[in-house]
Amino acid sequence: MTDAARPTSEQRLDEAFARIRDPKLEGGKVFTTLYETSARHEAEASDARVAAAFPHDQTTSYQWMAVICVE
């Protein structure tokens, strides 16, 4: 997959939130607290690092996932 075809962190975050909110799935039971603002800021920062051509560590794009739910 080329970088151009790779979804942004924000797009992946939107997909994750959509799945969590889908009433047909179990996300509402599993993720009892969503830190959306923090997750959005992390996703934006990750996308900004990629856009600025900093060396991209595969884990950086997924840092926002850690702030989706913390119990």
Side-chain angles (χ1 to χ4, degrees), residues 34-61:
L34 297 176
Y35 297 96
E36 295 184 52
T37 302
S38 299
R40 179 81 45 210
H41 289 300
E42 291 295 332
E44 290 169 359
S46 177
D47 289 339
R49 285 189 299 272
V50 171
F54 283 114
H56 184 58
D57 175 355
Q58 289 295 325
T59 58
T60 19
S61 293

Side-chain angles (χ1 to χ4, degrees), residues 1-66:
M1 180 182 301
T2 65
D3 286 338
R6 190 171 287 142
T8 66
S9 294
E10 289 185 81
Q11 290 169 329
R12 291 193 305 264
L13 177 63
D14 291 337
E15 290 173 13
F17 282 144
R19 288 185 185 125
I20 290 168
R21 290 187 182 103
D22 187 338
K24 297 176 188 170
L25 301 176
E26 298 291 318
K29 295 176 185 175
V30 174
F31 295 98
T32 57
T33 304
L34 297 176
Y35 297 96
E36 295 184 52
T37 302
S38 299
R40 179 81 45 210
H41 289 300
E42 291 295 332
E44 290 169 359
S46 177
D47 289 339
R49 285 189 299 272
V50 171
F54 283 114
H56 184 58
D57 175 355
Q58 289 295 325
T59 58
T60 19
S61 293
Y62 296 97
Q63 286 179 346
W64 55 265
M65 293 182 90

